[in-house]
Amino acid sequence: MKLLIVTCVKECKNDVYKIFKQANINVFSATDLVGFKNNQTFNIAEEWFARGDEKFDSLMVFSFTADENAERGLELFNNYNETNQPDFPIRAFMLPVEKFI
């Protein structure tokens, strides 16, 4: 089992939902985010959002899913970014789930 986490600007949310469906991920959660980029301090996610003191309405979508679904999702998100070359690429992360109840 994997935890697939995806972040995107809200304008891409329908594309993210379509990719989840294509990856056979039919159960997921989503939450609104406001991403900030402040160049004056160290930011662990410094490549996450555009440069400048701006804020961005974003979305985080996540799912606990089978390994093959998460792998397929990453592949599809990578293809989406390469094909569409958006100003704000979709970011996706796959994390192992070691234990669960």
Side-chain angles (χ1 to χ4, degrees):
M1 178 179 286
K2 302 291 185 193
L3 170 59
L4 181 63
I5 303 170
V6 176
T7 61
C8 66
V9 291
K10 282 192 177 175
E11 291 79 10
C12 294
K13 76 178 181 180
N14 289 333
D15 293 329
V16 169
Y17 296 159
K18 286 177 190 174
I19 290 172
F20 266 60
K21 186 168 183 74
Q22 291 172 347
N24 201 29
I25 301 171
N26 298 310
V27 177
F28 56 88
S29 299
T31 186
D32 291 335
L33 294 175
V34 177
F36 294 91
K37 178 66 178 186
N38 181 346
N39 288 329
Q40 296 177 2
T41 60
F42 175 75
N43 182 354
I44 195 164
E46 71 181 288
E47 295 302 321
W48 203 288
F49 298 101
R51 305 216 182 280
D53 294 329
E54 302 175 55
K55 63 181 183 179
F56 300 90
D57 289 329
S58 303
L59 187 69
M60 180 174 67
V61 184
F62 60 96
S63 179
F64 294 94
T65 189
D67 294 14
E68 58 272 8
N69 296 349
E71 290 283 353
R72 178 72 176 138
L74 282 179
E75 177 184 315
L76 290 167
F77 286 118
N78 186 52
N79 291 343
Y80 176 90
N81 287 337
E82 287 180 357
T83 301
N84 296 292
Q85 298 184 348
D87 290 335
F88 298 95
I90 294 172
R91 306 290 185 186
F93 307 88
M94 182 175 62
L95 304 169
V97 176
E98 295 181 21
K99 295 180 181 181
F100 62 94
I101 344 181

